[in-house]
Amino acid sequence: MTTATDGARMTITTLLVANRGEIACRIFRTCRDLGITTVAVYSDADADALHVREADLAVRLPGAAPADTYLRGDLVVAAARAAGADAVHPGYGFLSENAAFAAAVQDAGLVWVGPPVKAIELMASKTRAKELMAGAGVPLLAPVDPATAGEDDLPLLLKAASGGGGRGMRIVRELDALPGELLAAAAEAASAFGDGEVFAEPYVERGRHVEVQVMADAHGTVWALGTRDCSLQRRHQKVIEEAPAPGLDEALRTRLHEAAVAAARAVDYRGAGTVEFLVSADGRPYFLEMNTRLQVEHPVTEAVFGLDLVALQLRSAEGEPLPSPEPPQPSGHAVEARLYAEDPARGWQPQTGALLTLEVPEGPGLRLDTGYAGGDAIGVHYDPMIAKVIAHAPTRTEAVRLLARALERARVHGPVTNRDLLVRSLRHPDFAAARLDTGFYDRHLVELTAPGAGRDPATAALAATLAEAVRGADAVRGAEAVRGTEAGRGVSTHGPAPARFGAWRNVPSQPQRKRYRSEPDGTEHEVAYRTPRTGIPQPYETPGTRVLAAKPDHVTLEVNRVTRHFAITAHGGRVHVDAADASYTFTALPRFTDPATHTAPGSLLAPMPGTVVRLADGLTTGVAVEAGQPLIWLEAMKMEHRILAPASGTLTALHAAPGHQVEVGALLAVVQEDPAATPVPVPVPEETA
């Protein structure tokens, strides 16, 4: 079969996407528009995933771990041939920048929807890429040899030579920490990319992450499609991206565009790619890397330029030229926020479980890219990103406002997410003023995750209580109706009658009470209410609040003369309350505390499901440990997490061993505190990446 690299033109009819989740669904959408048959691959963990449901055909990759499935190029190529595909699109991540996989696809007679193998090889190693870019005149940071690094070289940034996404990346501020961080970075890089090579370069404080989208064809045309700012990052992974990058003068934009085009031409690039730069506080750009694939944040460029980059990738792979020598003119501003299943207030801990509801407002200027739907499960094997929400408007201010409001009004029920953090970030004065750099969350995370001003969990808990009271009354009436029907048919109705709403009490003037715990902060709320003869429950001792309507799924209250609406959704013991300006999650608490739920002091519990990858050297029962000392390393969702000693004392129990799979809340170890030790605050288990 003819491939695009032969210079001939051909037509793709059936495309296999060698990826999963959101990006697979995104590519399928364009394929449907173009009349191309789609093929998904899936691991056992993804058997019921949205990308599998949306594909025309699907091929199983046995296993669950990425190393056994999505990173097995031989299995992916075999899947393409079995499904009758004539082309393969790699998406992003996994094998998308693997030159050997690209070559294997072409050797199998399939079209590779990506850049030439040689371009991937040249850019695959960041160390080799920097040497090549230096020869092309692209500005870059000089590498630092870790073996000879001194105090004057600090701080240093360690990076994996292969791959990206923040894996294998460390900031080193003290020389004594350098050997250990090099070891950890190499281990994580080897686990994520199969290549443990890492390198060091100066870490630029308060730098901006700015990138240029390029698109090239096989006929000599290279487009520079504007800039994107991706400075808001956690764990070196992007959270909010926008196009164009705000606050850059025209000279700097021109320099970035020219450098990006030079980088693409230096490797005879074709297809979609991104050239990433670090822009220092004084406006000097430095080449970071070239991603030889589609980026997660590509929708903001699509919105601003009115393009479908996936369609252009397919066109390029088919040997077609770009539509014109020059790119279209940009229009307006676009902002993208990545919605993650994670808890920013607890070290960005990934979260798992059933995604019960996912509803994001629709409308002009809004776009949702996701690999999940309500009812899907978020597992432990892959990245915890749920969706990307994109807003496009004539100005940056309008786009930011539209996106913040859409996220605020979204209904996301299930695991804890970063939704509130995203809304607050978009409304933060520094973001509004485009004062952006990669240290944004280092400086502002505490205030962005603090209990929010303007939130009113007590009133939301009241709405949840009133809705539950109505549900209870409806259930009683339904049960009585059934009993009446059965009695009319002569069916025995012996046995206890269902309790009437509120049950019998010998002090009827006393209110009923309901207790809730806010998630994830743990604040408890007790709500008192009474039910008069009207049957509509009323708040008790809540001045200024009046019930206008109460249904099992919707409550309308007048609070200090302002009418407020609450949508209530109950899932087992969890209750989700969505208001116009905030969303709340509560766990219903029993009237009496179960003693069995208490945890012994000093217990170290698994903060998430995962695999124990290693223990501290010499860790065994009876050894002394210090507060804050890393004891256990847990791997979950492709990241490594340290479990720290909560206090100085003695390890009295150890239930973890390398290779053990653990569930959230599993007891890993117990530290008996030494009363003579200086008390310290109990630390939250923190990330190592």
Side-chain angles (χ1 to χ4, degrees):
M1 178 177 292
T2 301
T3 68
T5 54
D6 297 326
R9 300 185 186 181
M10 54 85 63
T11 301
I12 295 172
T13 60
T14 303
L15 178 76
L16 179 141
V17 177
N19 219 292
R20 64 176 299 278
E22 172 268 325
I23 186 56
C25 293
R26 158 68 190 99
I27 296 167
F28 292 160
R29 186 167 66 243
T30 290
C31 288
R32 285 193 296 271
D33 293 341
L34 298 177
I36 297 174
T37 300
T38 56
V39 183
V41 288
Y42 65 94
S43 68
D44 291 339
D46 275 340
D48 298 319
L50 183 62
H51 78 278
V52 179
R53 304 197 299 267
E54 290 198 347
D56 297 312
L57 304 169
V59 182
R60 174 180 174 245
L61 305 176
D68 300 326
T69 54
Y70 299 108
L71 288 173
R72 283 285 302 275
D74 56 334
L75 297 182
V76 174
V77 170
R81 300 184 71 172
D86 49 27
V88 172
H89 192 304
Y92 53 69
F94 294 132
L95 295 168
S96 63
E97 295 178 280
N98 187 303
F101 176 61
V105 168
Q106 295 182 2
D107 289 345
L110 305 169
V111 172
W112 168 250
V113 185
V117 172
K118 186 63 176 177
I120 300 175
E121 289 176 340
L122 290 171
M123 289 299 185
S125 170
K126 295 181 178 64
T127 50
R128 291 196 300 272
K130 284 176 178 290
E131 294 171 359
L132 182 65
M133 291 302 100
V138 176
L140 47 79
L141 289 167
V144 176
D145 183 356
T148 59
E151 292 288 345
D152 292 342
D153 296 310
L154 297 177
L156 287 174
L157 181 64
L158 306 182
K159 299 178 72 173
S162 301
R167 278 84 181 187
M169 193 176 289
R170 301 288 192 281
I171 298 173
V172 180
R173 299 184 182 278
E174 298 176 0
L175 277 182
D176 291 346
L178 182 56
E181 294 291 15
L182 275 169
L183 252 174
E188 189 172 71
S191 173
F193 313 116
D195 181 358
E197 181 187 354
V198 297
F199 67 95
E201 64 184 19
Y203 177 67
V204 178
E205 302 279 8
R206 299 186 79 98
R208 290 179 62 180
H209 187 124
V210 178
E211 59 192 31
V212 178
Q213 175 75 57
V214 295
M215 177 63 68
D217 61 23
H219 305 273
T221 300
V222 180
W223 284 355
L225 292 168
T227 57
R228 295 189 291 247
D229 189 290
C230 308
S231 298
L232 266 65
Q233 303 177 4
R234 96 286 192 257
R235 301 183 309 199
H236 308 294
Q237 290 182 305
K238 302 161 189 173
V239 178
I240 295 176
E241 305 104 340
E242 58 182 308
L248 305 183
D249 61 45
E250 196 56 38
L252 179 54
R253 289 185 189 277
T254 299
R255 188 178 184 192
L256 292 172
H257 290 174
E258 291 175 348
V261 170
R265 292 197 184 280
V267 295
D268 191 24
Y269 200 80
R270 270 170 265 167
T274 299
V275 185
E276 302 194 348
F277 299 90
L278 186 68
V279 177
S280 64
D282 59 1
R284 287 182 293 176
Y286 300 101
F287 172 82
L288 288 175
E289 60 185 331
M290 183 176 186
N291 294 127
T292 53
R293 55 172 168 82
L294 198 66
Q295 291 280 86
V296 179
E297 58 272 19
H298 75 273
V300 293
T301 297
E302 291 185 321
V304 168
F305 283 88
L307 295 171
D308 183 331
L309 292 178
V310 173
L312 289 176
Q313 283 185 299
L314 295 169
R315 180 181 184 136
S316 174
E318 291 177 326
E320 294 288 336
L322 288 170
S324 63
E326 298 296 329
Q329 289 299 307
S331 175
H333 200 95
V335 189
E336 172 182 288
R338 301 189 192 186
L339 182 67
Y340 283 98
E342 65 183 10
D343 188 349
R346 297 182 60 81
W348 309 97
Q349 288 179 10
Q351 305 292 301
T352 60
L355 180 65
L356 303 168
T357 305
L358 177 61
E359 297 176 5
V360 177
E362 300 178 352
L366 289 174
R367 168 176 164 179
L368 174 69
D369 283 13
T370 181
Y372 291 95
D376 289 345
I378 299 173
V380 301
H381 299 287
Y382 313 112
D383 188 270
M385 187 174 76
I386 298 172
K388 302 179 312 194
V389 186
I390 304 99
H392 178 229
T395 68
R396 182 177 188 268
T397 298
E398 292 171 292
V400 170
R401 181 176 62 196
L402 179 62
L403 179 58
R405 184 62 177 144
L407 288 164
E408 188 175 53
R409 294 180 56 220
R411 299 180 69 229
V412 187
H413 302 160
V416 174
T417 73
N418 68 335
R419 187 261 300 276
D420 289 348
L421 174 85
L422 295 174
V423 174
R424 294 183 185 184
S425 298
L426 292 166
R427 291 173 174 167
H428 192 277
D430 280 357
F431 187 86
R435 292 190 290 266
L436 310 173
D437 65 79
T438 55
F440 179 86
Y441 286 122
D442 293 335
R443 297 190 301 276
H444 300 303
L445 185 61
V446 172
E447 64 182 279
L448 291 170
T449 55
R455 289 176 61 85
D456 187 1
T459 301
L462 170 61
T465 299
L466 300 178
E468 183 184 7
V470 174
R471 281 196 300 274
D474 288 350
V476 169
R477 284 192 289 269
E480 289 180 336
V482 170
R483 289 172 61 85
T485 300
E486 291 177 342
R489 296 201 311 262
V491 179
S492 172
T493 57
H494 291 301
R500 292 184 175 276
F501 174 66
W504 179 88
R505 57 183 65 233
N506 60 2
V507 189
S509 63
Q510 293 302 306
Q512 297 182 70
R513 298 183 183 275
K514 184 68 181 177
R515 293 170 57 238
Y516 290 102
R517 181 179 64 241
S518 289
E519 304 297 347
D521 61 33
T523 304
E524 292 192 11
H525 303 274
E526 183 173 270
V527 179
Y529 69 95
R530 295 175 62 181
T531 305
R533 292 185 178 182
T534 61
I536 300 176
Q538 299 291 324
Y540 185 81
E541 296 179 346
T542 309
T545 301
R546 188 163 63 97
V547 180
L548 302 182
K551 298 178 181 179
D553 60 354
H554 192 92
V555 171
T556 301
L557 301 175
E558 184 182 88
V559 182
N560 296 325
R561 300 174 60 193
V562 176
T563 299
R564 300 177 61 189
H565 301 279
F566 301 86
I568 293 90
T569 309
H571 299 282
R574 285 283 178 96
V575 182
H576 299 272
V577 180
D578 295 297
D581 54 354
S583 295
Y584 308 85
T585 300
F586 299 104
T587 296
L589 299 176
R591 291 182 63 192
F592 304 103
T593 303
D594 182 359
T597 62
H598 288 292
T599 302
S603 296
L604 299 181
L605 306 181
M608 67 207 68
T611 303
V612 177
V613 291
R614 58 192 172 111
L615 305 177
D617 292 342
L619 190 68
T620 184
T621 54
V623 302
V625 299
E626 296 183 1
Q629 175 186 346
L631 303 181
I632 300 167
W633 280 258
L634 193 66
E635 187 178 85
M637 290 182 169
K638 301 192 290 184
M639 300 298 291
E640 200 174 79
H641 310 264
R642 296 185 298 177
I643 310 299
L644 311 180
S648 297
T650 303
L651 189 77
T652 58
L654 180 62
H655 303 286
H660 279 185
Q661 297 280 337
V662 297
E663 295 299 321
V664 62
L667 180 63
L668 303 177
V670 179
V671 174
Q672 182 176 340
E673 184 177 1
D674 180 359
T678 303
V680 295
V682 177
V684 174
E686 61 182 43
E687 300 280 358
T688 63

